[in-house]
Amino acid sequence: MPHTLGELARALGLQVHGDPDLTITGAAEPAAAGPEELALASTPAYAEALARGRARAAMLWDGADWRALGLAGALCPARPRFAMAGLTAALDPGPGFAPGRHPSAVVDPRAEIGPDVSIGPLAVIEAGARIGAGAVIGPQCYVGADAAVGPGALLREGVRIAARVRIGARVVAQPGCVVGGDGFSFVTPSEAGVEQARAALSGEVAPAPAQSWERIHSLGAVSVGDDVEIGANSCIDRGTIRDTVIGDGTKLDNLVQIGHNVVVGRDCLFAGQVGVAGSTRIGDHVVLGGQVGVADNLQVGDNAVIAAGSKVLSNVPAGRVMLGYPATRLDAQVDSYKALRRLPRLFRDVAALKKAVSKADGSD
Amino acid sequence: MPHTLGELARALGLQVHGDPDLTITGAAEPAAAGPEELALASTPAYAEALARGRARAAMLWDGADWRALGLAGALCPARPRFAMAGLTAALDPGPGFAPGRHPSAVVDPRAEIGPDVSIGPLAVIEAGARIGAGAVIGPQCYVGADAAVGPGALLREGVRIAARVRIGARVVAQPGCVVGGDGFSFVTPSEAGVEQARAALSGEVAPAPAQSWERIHSLGAVSVGDDVEIGANSCIDRGTIRDTVIGDGTKLDNLVQIGHNVVVGRDCLFAGQVGVAGSTRIGDHVVLGGQVGVADNLQVGDNAVIAAGSKVLSNVPAGRVMLGYPATRLDAQVDSYKALRRLPRLFRDVAALKKAVSKADGSD
Amino acid sequence: MPHTLGELARALGLQVHGDPDLTITGAAEPAAAGPEELALASTPAYAEALARGRARAAMLWDGADWRALGLAGALCPARPRFAMAGLTAALDPGPGFAPGRHPSAVVDPRAEIGPDVSIGPLAVIEAGARIGAGAVIGPQCYVGADAAVGPGALLREGVRIAARVRIGARVVAQPGCVVGGDGFSFVTPSEAGVEQARAALSGEVAPAPAQSWERIHSLGAVSVGDDVEIGANSCIDRGTIRDTVIGDGTKLDNLVQIGHNVVVGRDCLFAGQVGVAGSTRIGDHVVLGGQVGVADNLQVGDNAVIAAGSKVLSNVPAGRVMLGYPATRLDAQVDSYKALRRLPRLFRDVAALKKAVSKADGSD
């Protein structure tokens, strides 16, 4: 995978500054870069460390004076962060899977395997499954009966795609993720304490005869759109009657939980350990920070941004930025936090006022 | 699996209204239902959409006027949500596993396999393991040495049951869950900073000589009762000296963490991403909402309900409904939240009072 | 594995009290202990239950009067909790894996396997992987191309070590953990709404043209130090340009998420469901309680202790004890919580003051 600076520039649609024939074997931070590594220094502050490394070429910022930094060549993109996408794609060594179908894989003869599909060691593909052209089914993966994996998808090691689930084109599924576990839906013969508590918002549940939970089975599956990413050990549950849906281009980080019947729009970004409870609908281009929770049966509008750690307990309008537990508008929440910090002083002020007023009354 | 409306009614113990011979091949939402699908419309609001679909039969509510809705037949249960349990059980196509023992499974000859057990491709069953009658060990599952899986249990793809763990009858274990990881228990030769911090509730830890952590091994196992459900990628750790225990009928959602020595009672419901720390005891019929955390060495009483996102840092009496971080009685917490919202106004009021009082004093 | 009390005492470096020849086959809680089990009673309160069990020997506290408790022998360590480490190590029956290389394992001939390595059934070891002497690669584990596993490491069932990841000596990896998933790093061609929201801290995002996310690939790997523990189903992501790093002796509990580029120091303790977002640096001897979240690009100093459930949104100095969301000094946070509880009374006081002052003014 050795490149030249000129080849990289062409791949990224950028102009090359200086010597286009410099060999580039990888990328590195400025201080750690070797003579054939492209140093990444997107701001003048990062560029200071170039002197401590041995890079001869770097990716800098628009208008950077690369010669003054002692370099023999440079790329100077207008948005360095975006240029990282193309650059890292060009230099990615990949997951290290051998191509072809490993003889230890257990592939049911009734599965339909498209052209140029790779299937890793000890993978299982069940009857009726359909694998699209060029897809990579990693080692120890599972693709259930009548499931469909789109063309160009990459399932990393140990991914579980359950029966009847549909996975779109070019989806990347990280190790250990599970698509198509059963929804978590249980019901008692009569109303349970938790139903009373939700209805009454009271602090106690009335004593009631003990009941056991009956399982509501999941008849739906999961439908994952094109260009979706699913993080390591994340879970997306089946729907009860219809499919749980993840829209095109949406990216889920690790250990994310998507409950039954949830519908997520397109191009959303859910950070690590997010949880979305059953039957909630999330719009397009929504960003959920790390460890955000969204309660069940809610609606979150397009373009909403929910800050890390927030717990959303009510509907969120489009374009709203939210923070806190329970989540409220970010600016109002910040005001509340500030007020909370100043509370001890307020208590002292009120105590002093009471004294002053009672003295003025002469009632003491 | 085609049914008639009459057969479904009998299976659910319900009276059939209209034509019992209508063919039912599945269930659907009212607007999406085809002519052989049972539409699910548990309230008049949902029933409005029946006109947009093609259903000839529906599951409605007690007393519904099914003829006026243009249907040829109907079920009208007193508690439609409960009827869903029986209905979905009758229509569930299952996980798509082939019956029998797949030749690629690695089953130690010293394991005891009961009658009518299915073992999926590339599953591993170790020496001394005992699998009860009719259990289904899914593809790529692991059942460790001397572990026991009860009759009728269903282990979905990739479940890990560690050595010496006991799993009850009819347990459902979702893909990727782990029962019997080692407890997280470490100790330093002398008292560590975290122990000081817990004792003193102060804001700083005194500097102390650096120490490394020694592992306390887990000699206990895990004992999971009958009719328990364990969610996808959830984890239940071994106990230190005795078993960690999950009571009969308790249901755990995905990505739930149960620490070492925890004892959970019967018929509890823990939603997604709940965490219960080491040595805590949870009573019977307790409901923990999504992302709830319960700290270590606590007691949570029977029938308690902890709202989603709450962090429980102290004992909870039986029947209590809790919310917040730290969790307190739901009604008190709601009052606190309301007060917090009104704080900015309170600051303004107090400022005005100070002015008024200082003017009245003439001391300005 | 039968021992005598004297052998155990020698293994733990403790003096034996009473009969050193008592047979010890295991450990138990005082009330449950059989005649050949060592009862564990580290305080007089626990020792009361000895009378209900049948133990003839116990591990007590320094200076305990073991004869008065009716025992025939005892160990009386100065720090019983620390003695548990040695005791449980001596009595641990282990994960139940058979030694040697199971014939069903798929080991690439280009992998380097050290002496005395065990490889379980259906494990996969790819080309160029290096397994150190005495390591145990459990059933159904995956070790990717050019990955390295240190001597004496134990990978429990179903562990996933991705390509090029380095795992130190004596690391214990619990079932289902994933080391080396790709980092969660995406970028839009122009600035996205979430970038605006972070910059402005406002409550709304301005409408903007819809954009899709481009993937920033992970060129780095993960470097895990010696004596690290990684919990069940936990995830550690690759770095973008350099490795994500976990320092020697650090212990991670179950379902922990470590983002790309994170650097964790040595001898840290992260409890269950902790999440550390991308590029954050954590010092040495840091303790993060259960479900703690640390936002991206932060610094947490040495010896800091973050209480369970806290969400860290800003840098934390060394030795600081933090609590809350957003996390602040524990003592200040406790004051805020107390003030919040007393708020309803404060509102009443201010209302009364307003009345009193307005009356005094005669303006009513």
Side-chain angles (χ1 to χ4, degrees), chain C residues 259-274:
Chain C
H260 60 282
N261 302 338
V262 166
V263 177
V264 178
R266 58 177 302 150
D267 294 320
C268 294
L269 212 61
F270 293 3
Q273 299 174 317
V274 156

Side-chain angles (χ1 to χ4, degrees), chain C residues 71-244:
Chain C
L71 298 166
L75 308 176
C76 301
R79 182 161 155 81
R81 191 168 157 72
F82 185 67
M84 280 293 287
L87 181 74
T88 55
L91 297 175
D92 187 355
F97 301 160
R101 188 195 293 201
H102 196 276
S104 66
V106 176
V107 181
D108 191 287
R110 290 159 295 177
E112 291 173 36
I113 311 295
D116 299 317
V117 166
S118 287
I119 304 176
L122 302 174
V124 172
I125 302 183
E126 300 272 27
R130 299 186 311 281
I131 313 293
V136 174
I137 309 300
Q140 300 168 325
C141 283
Y142 179 77
V143 180
D146 300 312
V149 175
L154 166 60
L155 309 191
R156 290 275 307 264
E157 54 272 28
V159 165
R160 320 274 176 207
I161 307 296
R164 302 179 296 282
V165 165
R166 279 167 294 168
I167 300 284
R170 297 172 302 280
V171 164
V172 177
Q174 297 290 337
C177 69
V178 171
V179 186
D182 294 321
F184 190 73
S185 188
F186 296 91
V187 62
T188 47
S190 340
E191 198 178 57
V194 63
E195 290 170 273
Q196 293 170 29
R198 284 183 89 132
L201 285 183
S202 74
E204 304 278 347
V205 177
Q211 301 185 80
S212 291
W213 299 98
E214 292 292 323
R215 194 168 203 270
I216 295 179
H217 290 243
S218 296
L219 307 182
V222 180
S223 177
V224 174
D226 296 338
D227 301 300
V228 167
E229 177 127 0
I230 306 171
N233 284 348
S234 285
C235 302
I236 310 175
D237 274 358
R238 316 177 83 83
T240 306
I241 299 299
R242 51 171 178 75
D243 284 5
T244 301

Side-chain angles (χ1 to χ4, degrees), chain C residues 1-8 11 20-26 36 87 89-92:
Chain C
M1 201 182 27
H3 299 261
T4 64
L5 187 63
E7 285 165 11
L8 277 179
D21 296 326
L22 289 168
T23 299
I24 304 293
T25 61
E36 298 198 336
L87 181 74
L91 297 175
D92 187 355

Side-chain angles (χ1 to χ4, degrees), chain B residues 240-314:
Chain B
T240 307
I241 298 299
R242 52 171 177 75
D243 284 5
T244 302
V245 177
I246 308 292
D248 292 344
T250 283
K251 316 295 185 185
L252 311 180
D253 197 356
N254 299 345
L255 295 167
V256 165
Q257 153 69 359
I258 306 290
H260 60 282
N261 302 338
V262 167
V263 177
V264 179
R266 58 177 301 150
D267 295 320
C268 294
L269 213 62
F270 292 3
Q273 298 174 317
V274 155
V276 180
S279 300
T280 282
R281 287 175 170 267
I282 310 269
D284 298 335
H285 302 281
V286 170
V287 175
L288 305 185
Q291 298 185 334
V292 161
V294 185
D296 59 291
N297 288 286
L298 296 181
Q299 311 248 10
V300 176
D302 295 344
N303 301 305
V305 176
I306 318 288
S310 299
K311 308 300 173 194
V312 177
L313 304 182
S314 53

Side-chain angles (χ1 to χ4, degrees), chain C residues 10-47:
Chain C
R10 260 196 306 283
L12 303 182
L14 294 174
Q15 188 193 340
V16 60
H17 299 270
D19 181 358
D21 296 326
L22 289 168
T23 299
I24 304 293
T25 61
E29 297 188 333
E36 298 198 336
E37 287 182 310
L38 185 73
L40 303 177
S42 58
T43 65
Y46 287 122

